[in-house]
Amino acid sequence: MAFDIGSLLQQYLGGGAAQMNAGRAADDFDKVAQNAPRSAMAEGVTEALRSDQTPPFPQMLGQLFGKSDPNERAGMLNELLGSLGPGILSSIAGGKLGNLFGGAGAPTTITPEQAATMTPEQVEQIAKQAEQENPSIVERMGDFYAEHPQLVKTIGGAALAILLGRVAQGMRQ
């Protein structure tokens, strides 16, 4: 018997239904992450990052960063930094970013070792600045985290229910 992703996602259509299913969202998310198109997952993650029913984008990114492995941390920071202008690095995260680059203003690629020196709070500061400078960073981060479903699963049941609702909408179109 084939898995029917449409039937599973049907229960997440509509805001009230999504909230009622927050408790089951983590289990359902595993099935959806394995079967839904990556683009639909990226849209769902982006929706969860933007929602007014979840913590603000910078806070969610800080939480995800704190639960990431060194390679994921470096990848996430490189995405964030790619959205910022070169002069901004020295002024955010207590100047720590400028120090990572030897005081240089232009970013290079952050290594997992460099990312390990950053705290979730510093990442929140970077994410806040990145969102102000380039609001499309939310979509870029949604796309990035669509590649890391086990990490996304840690954002909580309510956020996962929002994500699943958006995946359901995207797959209906």
Side-chain angles (χ1 to χ4, degrees), residues 57-171:
F57 169 71
Q59 184 179 342
M60 289 188 71
L61 241 49
Q63 291 172 356
L64 287 165
F65 181 84
K67 295 174 182 176
S68 298
D69 69 32
N71 289 322
E72 292 164 340
R73 286 179 176 205
M76 188 261 262
L77 282 170
N78 286 317
E79 285 291 325
L80 278 175
L81 295 177
S83 72
L84 293 172
I88 306 251
L89 293 179
S90 60
S91 66
I92 57 176
K96 183 140 184 139
L97 286 178
N99 294 338
L100 280 177
F101 301 116
T108 60
T109 301
I110 290 186
T111 66
E113 294 77 22
Q114 290 169 319
T117 68
M118 300 294 294
T119 67
E121 293 77 21
Q122 290 169 321
V123 170
E124 284 184 37
Q125 291 175 22
I126 297 166
K128 183 177 181 179
Q129 186 70 38
E131 185 179 25
Q132 289 171 354
E133 294 286 320
N134 183 1
S136 71
I137 189 60
V138 180
E139 286 92 1
R140 286 177 63 180
M141 297 313 303
D143 191 56
F144 174 81
Y145 280 112
E147 292 287 330
H148 305 281
Q150 286 309 108
L151 190 55
V152 170
K153 190 175 175 180
T154 68
I155 63 176
L160 289 176
I162 292 166
L163 183 158
L164 292 170
R166 181 63 186 110
V167 171
Q169 289 173 357
M171 291 185 68

